[in-house]
Structure formats: structure tokens, C-alpha cells
Amino acid sequence: MKYSGEELPTGFLGRSARIVQIRAQIEKIGVGRTPVLIQGESGTGKEVAARSLFNANPQGQFVPIECGSMVGTLMESELFGHTRHAFTGAGENKRGLMELANGGTAFFDEIGDLALELQVKLLRVLQEREYRPVGSLQRVKVDVRIIAATHRNLEREIAAGRFREDLFHRLNVIRLTLPPLRDRKEDIPLLIERFIASPDRRYSIANEAMDAIMRYDWPGNVRELKNCIDRMIAMNSGPLLHFTDLPSNVIYHARAGTSTATTVAATVGGARGIPLPPPVVALRGIVPLQALERQAIEHALQQTAGDRTEAALLLGIGRTTLYRKLKEYQLGEN
Ligand SMILES: Nc1ncnc2c1ncn2[C@@H]1O[C@H](COP(=O)(O)OP(=O)(O)OP(=O)(O)O)[C@@H](O)[C@H]1O
Ligand SMILES: [Mg+2]
């Protein structure tokens, strides 16, 4: 792989056409103050995109706001601040996140989770550029760029009555849609290169492991990929990250989901000295369920170094069932 740790680019990484295009969009719209709505599955990099938008033309502060974390008055005072005696226990005047974001950017993360009563108040900020701290009669002027992100389909949330349509239209002036990682697998090597970059160690990945990574679908997207690499580094003592250090779901997918090859051989088992099962014939890319089951059991035993109680636990079946299946598949010394 061609980057050394120091030369790695920062920001929103990727070489796929979609990401190159999104990066160009970020550079362009980062300059303005128009609201931006970022949509994408969990782990696709919504926060990285929001921060890149801010960094394209940094003004004031970038203030992240977790919309799902608080409800009601607490969230309102967190956002807009409150005056003394606004409510029992209010204490002194308190500045809100909006005041902090004044002149800068407020990042409303998981905007789909924002309580309806706060949606009204945010709409006011967008329309009138002002808000009222809790307990105050005075309105406060504010100049803030709003970036909102969500993994939800807001149109569906509107239909379900959970999201205000007027707020949606105010936010949806520019929309960035981040593609799932499975649709841009060519970005994976570059992302991995970033994740394994460390000042004091050069890691590399065994080809077999890389193949499995490229074949996996990454439902948790870049976040899942990062966790996977972190885990491989933690599991490994040397600089080469092995296939067997991969999380079991990735290994399992690699062994079971081969769509091009007609035989699914248990390469891992072989490497560890566990007898290989008879080759499984995959017709039209479909592996028989029994073969998948057998492989899952073998894999669980391998992960637990032959501990059947733990293997049964991992497999989510009872010990007796595991024994029966071991017999059925003629596994172990049953
Ligand atoms: N294009 C990218 N370049 C570099 N790192 C990325 C990229 N996309 C995601 N990441 C990394 O993946 C992880 C998840 O990214 P981020 O938190 O931005 O995703 P998200 O869409 O906000 O996810 P969630 O919905 O889980 O909050 C972070 O560690 C982030 O640094
Ligand atoms: Mg996020």
C-alpha cells in the first residue's frame, strides 16, 4: 500500500467516484452558511463530513449537539440557555449551545431524534435567526450555520408524524447523501491504510485477510471497519494482521459466501490443524444450510479452542443440541 503514516490525507477519505464527488461538494458548500442535511446509514461518516464542511471555511466554533440525548426543558435550556430562576434549581444564568455556536456552526446530530417541541424552536432559529432563553422575555439574535445529520429517512418520519415538514424543508436546502461502504468497496484499502497508520509501528494485512474484508458487506459501514481493524491490532502481537484475527462474522462470511467458487473449503481450519470438512458444492452460488451450520460449529470450536460449553453459548444453542450436531456432522471425537 502506498501511503506512509505521515503522508496520509486527513478529512473525508475515499477514492471512489461518489466520495470524490462528495468531497468536491463539501469544498464548495463549506464556504457558505446555508443549512446542510447529511443523510447516511450508521457509520458512513456523517460526523466526519460535517466537520469537513466546517473545516472548509472555519468560522467561530463547531458545536456538536446530540439530539437524542436529552428531552424537554433540560434540552431546551442546554440549547438556548436559561435565566436565573427560570425553573426550580435553575440557579444562575446559563449560556446555551446556541450562544456558543454563534458566529460558527451548530451540528445537530441525529436530528430525527429531536423532540417535536424543540423542532419548533429550531425552526424559529432558522426562520427568524433568533431564540428565547428559557425564562427570558427577550429574544436573542443569532448567526449560526446549521448542519444536521440523520440515519433516518426523514420523509418517512414526517409521514409518521414524528418530524415537522416545515423544519425538514428549511434543513433540506443542500443535501449530502453518504453511500454505504458496500457500494464503494474501492475505498476500503485507503481507509484501512488510515486506520493502521501508527507513529511507532507499521502494520500490514495478510492477503487472505484483505480478500475476506473486501468480500464482506459491512452493515455498520466505516465504523464497523474501523472497529474491525482496531480489534485485529489489539489481538495481534506482530506487525502482520492475519485472517484469523478477523472478527468471526467476517471470517464466517468469507468462508460461507463465496459466490464465484464452486467449493467452499475451510482454509482457516486447515491452517490451524483442524481437519478440513469435505468440500461443499455451492450450486448457483448458494451454499446449503447444513454446510453453513457445520462451518459455524467448526468456527465456534476453533474460536473457543475446543471448549464446547463456550462454543454452544457463542452459537446460541444448548449444549445438548451442540453434542447432537457434532455427532450428526461427525465432528470431534464423538
Ligand atoms: N470517509 C472517511 N474517512 C475517514 N474516516 C472515516 C470516514 N468515514 C467514516 N470514518 C470513520 O468512521 C467512524 C464513523 O464515522 P462517523 O462517526 O462520522 O459516522 P456516522 O455516520 O456519524 O455514524 P453514526 O451513525 O454511527 O453516528 C469514525 O471513526 C470516523 O473517523
Ligand atoms: Mg454520528
Side-chain angles (χ1 to χ4, degrees), residues 198 200-204 229-242 244-245 272:
S198 127
D200 42 65
R201 184 152 219 173
R202 282 300 289 155
Y203 289 101
S204 50
I229 301 297
D230 287 349
R231 183 198 130 112
M232 288 176 91
I233 290 174
M235 299 260 299
N236 206 286
S237 48
L240 182 67
L241 307 178
H242 302 278
T244 43
D245 301 327
R272 286 242 179 137

Side-chain angles (χ1 to χ4, degrees), residues 25-33 52-54 56-58 145:
Q25 257 178 305
I26 287 176
E27 284 302 316
K28 208 166 111 195
I29 62 188
V31 179
R33 302 284 286 164
S52 306
L53 274 167
F54 174 77
N57 179 27
R145 177 177 214 184

Side-chain angles (χ1 to χ4, degrees), residues 32-65:
R33 302 284 286 164
T34 325
V36 181
L37 179 62
I38 306 173
Q39 277 197 304
E41 286 178 16
S42 185
T44 45
K46 296 184 290 293
E47 181 153 358
V48 181
R51 287 182 187 275
S52 306
L53 274 167
F54 174 77
N55 288 331
N57 179 27
Q59 284 179 27
Q61 283 204 55
F62 179 88
V63 181
I65 298 165

Side-chain angles (χ1 to χ4, degrees), residues 259-279:
S259 52
T260 43
T262 46
T263 55
V264 183
T267 42
V268 207
R272 286 242 179 137
I274 295 166
L276 291 172

Side-chain angles (χ1 to χ4, degrees), residues 21-153:
Q21 188 195 6
I22 287 171
R23 230 184 357 249
Q25 257 178 305
I26 287 176
E27 284 302 316
K28 208 166 111 195
I29 62 188
V31 179
R33 302 284 286 164
T34 325
V36 181
L37 179 62
I38 306 173
Q39 277 197 304
E41 286 178 16
S42 185
T44 45
K46 296 184 290 293
E47 181 153 358
V48 181
R51 287 182 187 275
S52 306
L53 274 167
F54 174 77
N55 288 331
N57 179 27
Q59 284 179 27
Q61 283 204 55
F62 179 88
V63 181
I65 298 165
E66 276 300 328
C67 297
S69 66
M70 270 171 280
V71 282
T73 324
L74 250 183
M75 179 73 178
E76 188 179 345
S77 95
E78 194 75 24
L79 268 181
F80 303 116
H82 62 239
T83 57
R84 288 201 307 155
H85 316 306
F87 47 87
T88 319
E92 292 304 302
N93 285 348
K94 185 186 164 206
R95 301 172 63 200
L97 294 169
M98 269 300 150
E99 193 178 331
L100 198 64
N102 194 9
T105 297
F107 172 51
F108 284 81
D109 201 2
E110 287 311 338
I111 187 91
D113 298 343
L114 191 66
L116 275 164
E117 69 263 29
L118 291 169
Q119 291 179 24
V120 187
K121 304 200 163 157
L122 178 58
L123 179 66
R124 183 150 204 107
V125 172
L126 283 157
Q127 280 175 337
E128 322 284 342
R129 302 180 168 278
E130 59 179 32
Y131 64 89
R132 212 159 49 84
V134 180
S136 169
L137 297 172
Q138 310 278 303
R139 297 199 167 277
V140 182
K141 280 279 169 203
V142 67
D143 160 34
V144 61
R145 177 177 214 184
I146 308 281
I147 301 178
T150 179
H151 73 281
R152 295 184 197 280
N153 177 326

